[in-house]
Each structure stands twice: as C-alpha cells, then as structure tokens.
C-alpha cells in the first residue's frame, strides 16, 4: 500500500529566500509609485508660463517631501536604505525635471501620459540603483573568495599579458606626470623598497645614488625593468615578490615607495601592513596613487568603470588614503596631482611607543588567510 505523500514543509531559510526574491519587485513598484505621485503633484501646481527657476525649486522641494513621506511608509516593508536612496533621486531630480517640463508646456497633453512618464522615470532610477549596487557589492579590502594560489596565478597572468603593451599604453601618462614624479621623488633617500616596479618606467625619476630593492609579481614586467635598471645611477636589485607576503625581515628598509600599485592589489590592507612590517620605526612610506574621486559624478563614473578595468588591470575606485591609516601609518601629507584622483601621499611608521600596532597584532594579521593573497604589479600610471 502506497501512503500518500505529505506536503513537505518549507524550511525557514527557503521561506526567507522566497520573500527576499519579492523585494526587487517591491523596489520597482515603490519607485514607480514615487515617480507617479511626484509627477502628478508637480503637474497640479506647475503649468505653462510658470517661472522655470521657481518651478524647479518647487518641484525639488515637493519631490523630496513626497519621497520622505513614502519612505516612512514603505521603508519598514522594503528596507529603509533600499527605499530612501532611489526615492531621493526620484524625488529631487524627478521633481526638478517634471517642473521644468510642465513650465515649458512640453509635457504630455494628458494626465495619464504625464503620470506614465513619472512611473517610467521611477523604474529607470531603481534599475540604475540596482546596477550600481551590483558594481559596488563585494569585498572592499580582503580576499574576494578566490583561493590564494588561484589569485596569485590570475594576477601574475594578467600583468604578464599587460607587459606586452604597457609602455605604449602609459607613454602619455609618463610625459604628463613625469615632471611631478621627479619633483616628488626628490625627497627619497636611504635604503628604499620600491613596490610595483612594473616595466621600470619610474626608475628614471628616482634621485641618483639610492640603494633600491624593486619588487613586482610579474616576471614579464621585471624582464623589461631589468634593462631600465641598468641605466640608473645607483643600485637597483629586482625581485619577484608578492607585496602581501614580502620575503624580507622586519624593519629591513628605511623608506618605501609605491607608484600606482594599491589600485591593483587584491587585498590592499594586507599589502600595506606588510610594508609597515618591513619598514624601520620612523620610516617613511611614499605613494603616488590614483584613488576614487570625492567629486560625486566623477566618483560614480569610476565606480561604473571599475568592473571592466579590473579585468585587464586596476580598480579605479580604491580609498587608499583611508586604508593607509588603517594599516597603522601616520599620515604626514597628501597632495592632489590631478583633480583629487591622482595623489601623492606621505606616511610614516610610528616609532616604538608612539601608538604603533603591536608586534602580536601584526603577526596575527600575517597568519590570517588574507595575508597571502597575491599582489599585482603596477607601475607608471596604469595600475
């Protein structure tokens, strides 16, 4: 006798998954509702001949008020952040655009048409926010889920491939930033660790007479760098090495230099802590780096470009200045070289007893899995 099958109870985790899959739909419905109400409210107050400037100010204020009221209602159902962020864009910018349109008499001649445009605008904004969330989501510092060996292999392969065209790609950047590098590098002295030597383009800007240990993960990059190292009026020792697992004893160097390197290191915090380890107390760390801009539209543009740029080279939206501080360095100076994207950063490893991370803390970090992720090379202005 075959017993009838009893319905399988849905586990709590599955129920939660089913509910969470409805949230994106809710986001779009909320965005469309917000856009519709904002478009209708603006249409009711602004007509042809209304002063455009006043109309835009009124539309923005009205849109923000509607967004805040709807956010209080919909936020507990859909999530406060997921409701308020797109709602702010729909309210502010939608209110301004709808008001400008209606004051010019350029909108749809019918109410359903005007409201439909509002709903469409709301849906487009939500789609944009979802896309932007996908771009930004994931580890900011730390491993991305790859095994250590896989990360090491993929990083080396990427920069070995880039070495074939690297000098041609960075020729203009070398010409434009070369004078700045020569001026800034003039303060380097003593026993120097150069991280991310790349093809050696930046050796030409180093002051003469230094004792330099230059490291990079890419053998192909280092093969080209060896030719340029021979032209330097000083000593350059080239080493293939991972910045997140440097083969040097503690306090081995008096100074360290990184040129557009930490835009490419998979775990930049691990790499910075390794440099901290190998610097002598009181040692200076100099960085010529590009970072994420704090100029709103520019920063968003760099965020959007990063998923593509990271396939063949660096990330464009790193917050390197803050990460240098997190690694334990004292920030001494920060200079903008181009907008607020390309920067010169001077930092110092505090002397013993001045608030530096303890040795045990550094050892705990180096023993953690993230400390062995491979660093990518970089040089000049690509990484």
């Amino acid at each position: 006798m075959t017993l009838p099958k009893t319905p399988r109870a849905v586990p709590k985790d599955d129920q939660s998954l089913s509910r969470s899959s409805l949230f994106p739909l809710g986001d779009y419905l909320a965005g469309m509702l917000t856009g519709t109400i904002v478009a209708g409210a603006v249409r009711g107050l602004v007509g042809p001949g209304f002063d455009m400037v006043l109309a835009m100010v009124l539309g923005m204020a009205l849109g923000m008020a509607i967004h805040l009221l709807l956010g209080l209602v919909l936020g507990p159902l859909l999530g406060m952040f997921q409701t308020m962020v797109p709602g702010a864009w729909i309210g502010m910018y939608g209110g301004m655009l709808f008001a400008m349109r209606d004051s010019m008499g350029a909108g749809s001649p019918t109410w359903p048409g005007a409201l439909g445009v509002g709903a469409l605008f709301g849906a487009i904004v939500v789609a944009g926010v979802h896309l932007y969330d996908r771009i930004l989501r994931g580890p900011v510092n730390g491993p991305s889920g790859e095994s250590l060996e896989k990360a090491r292999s993929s990083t080396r392969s990427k920069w070995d491939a880039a070495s074939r065209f690297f000098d041609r790609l960075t020729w203009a950047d070398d010409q434009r930033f070369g004078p700045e590098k020569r001026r800034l590098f003039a303060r380097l002295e003593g026993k120097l660790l150069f991280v991310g030597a790349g093809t050696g383009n930046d050796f030409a800007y180093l002051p003469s007479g230094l004792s330099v240990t230059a490291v990079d993960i890419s053998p192909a990059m280092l093969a080209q760098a060896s030719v340029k190292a021979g032209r330097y009026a000083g000593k350059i020792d080239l080493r293939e090495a991972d910045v997140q697992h440097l083969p040097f004893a503690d306090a081995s160097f008096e100074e360290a230099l990184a040129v557009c390197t930490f835009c490419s290191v998979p775990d930049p915090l691990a790499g910075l802590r390794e440099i901290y380890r190998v610097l002598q107390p009181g040692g200076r760390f100099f960085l010529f780096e590009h970072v994420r801009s704090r100029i709103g539209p520019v920063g968003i543009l760099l965020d959007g470009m990063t998923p593509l740029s990271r396939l063949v080279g660096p990330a464009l939206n790193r917050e390197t200045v803050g990460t240098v501080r997190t690694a334990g360095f004292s920030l001494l100076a920060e200079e903008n070289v181009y907008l607020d994207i390309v920067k010169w950063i001077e930092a110092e490893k505090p002397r013993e007893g001045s608030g530096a991370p303890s040795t045990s803390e550094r050892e705990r970090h180096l023993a953690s899995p993230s400390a062995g992720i491979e660093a990518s090379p970089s040089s000049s202005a690509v990484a």
Side-chain angles (χ1 to χ4, degrees):
M1 178 178 177
T2 303
L3 295 176
K5 294 182 180 180
T6 58
R8 182 177 66 89
V10 179
K12 289 184 178 180
D13 288 346
D14 290 348
Q15 293 175 356
S16 176
L17 184 62
S18 299
R19 288 195 297 269
S20 66
S21 64
L22 296 176
F23 283 138
L25 175 61
D27 293 342
Y28 279 100
L29 292 176
M32 294 171 69
L33 177 63
T34 304
T36 301
I37 295 176
V38 171
V42 171
R43 176 94 171 203
L45 293 177
V46 176
F50 201 105
D51 183 87
M52 185 182 295
V53 174
L54 293 178
M56 293 176 68
V57 173
L58 176 62
M60 180 179 66
L62 190 60
M64 289 301 292
I66 292 170
H67 136 67
L68 290 172
L69 290 174
L70 285 177
L72 292 175
V73 176
L74 299 175
L77 301 175
L78 298 173
M80 295 303 295
F81 292 112
Q82 291 84 350
T83 303
M84 301 297 274
V85 172
W89 281 72
I90 297 168
M92 178 181 294
Y93 295 105
M96 292 174 62
L97 291 172
F98 300 149
M100 182 172 63
R101 175 196 65 183
D102 292 335
S103 69
M104 297 172 62
S108 173
T110 65
W111 270 83
L115 298 180
V117 171
L120 178 61
F121 180 80
I124 291 172
V125 169
V126 172
V129 171
H130 280 187
L131 177 61
Y132 197 38
D133 175 50
R134 291 291 298 272
I135 291 171
L136 295 182
R137 186 171 297 191
V140 177
N141 288 310
S144 61
E146 289 184 310
S147 68
L148 301 184
E149 189 54 43
K150 183 178 180 181
R152 178 177 292 109
S153 176
S154 62
T155 299
R156 181 180 293 111
S157 298
K158 177 171 66 175
W159 290 103
D160 279 347
S163 69
R164 300 167 191 163
F165 55 84
F166 189 86
D167 285 357
R168 292 191 296 274
L169 186 63
T170 62
W171 179 85
D173 287 325
D174 286 338
Q175 304 307 307
R176 300 189 71 156
F177 292 127
E180 294 289 347
K181 289 179 180 178
R182 186 170 283 108
R183 173 179 66 87
L184 295 166
F185 292 4
R187 62 200 71 185
L188 298 170
E189 58 186 14
K191 187 178 181 183
L192 176 71
L193 172 65
F194 189 157
V195 177
T199 62
N201 289 339
D202 292 310
F203 296 162
Y205 309 120
L206 295 173
S208 60
L210 297 181
S211 176
V212 182
T213 299
V215 301
D216 203 291
I217 189 57
S218 166
M221 289 275 190
L222 289 172
Q224 297 187 42
S226 63
V227 177
K228 297 162 189 173
R231 304 173 191 153
Y232 174 65
K235 177 185 176 184
I236 295 183
D237 177 26
L238 297 175
R239 300 280 296 273
E240 182 181 335
D242 171 7
V243 72
Q244 295 164 129
H245 194 67
L246 292 170
F248 307 116
D250 293 1
S252 296
F253 298 94
E254 297 171 311
E255 293 186 344
L257 170 68
V259 180
C260 296
T261 297
F262 284 92
C263 51
S264 301
V265 177
D267 188 348
L269 185 57
L272 289 166
R273 284 177 170 161
E274 269 291 82
I275 292 176
Y276 186 101
R277 179 183 65 81
V278 302
L279 270 180
Q280 298 174 3
R284 298 291 182 94
F285 180 30
F286 303 93
L287 301 92
F288 189 95
E289 291 283 346
H290 66 79
V291 301
R292 186 187 189 277
S293 175
R294 294 183 181 179
I295 304 170
V298 179
I300 292 172
L301 176 64
L302 295 176
D303 289 335
M305 293 168 62
T306 290
L308 294 176
S309 69
R310 204 158 40 195
L311 296 176
V312 295
L316 303 176
N317 60 350
R318 289 281 170 86
E319 300 281 1
T320 302
V321 177
T323 312
V324 168
R325 288 195 186 97
T326 302
F329 289 97
S330 298
L331 192 65
L332 302 179
E334 178 183 349
E335 178 180 336
N336 290 334
V337 178
Y338 176 70
L339 296 178
D340 65 340
I341 300 173
V342 180
K343 289 180 177 287
W344 173 254
I345 305 162
E346 296 185 20
E348 181 181 68
K349 176 179 178 177
R351 299 180 185 278
E352 296 297 334
S354 59
S358 66
T359 301
S360 60
E361 290 173 339
R362 296 198 297 275
E363 288 174 346
R364 281 197 299 272
H365 167 74
L366 294 175
S368 70
S370 67
I373 300 285
E374 189 66 23
S376 75
S378 65
S379 172
S380 295
V382 162

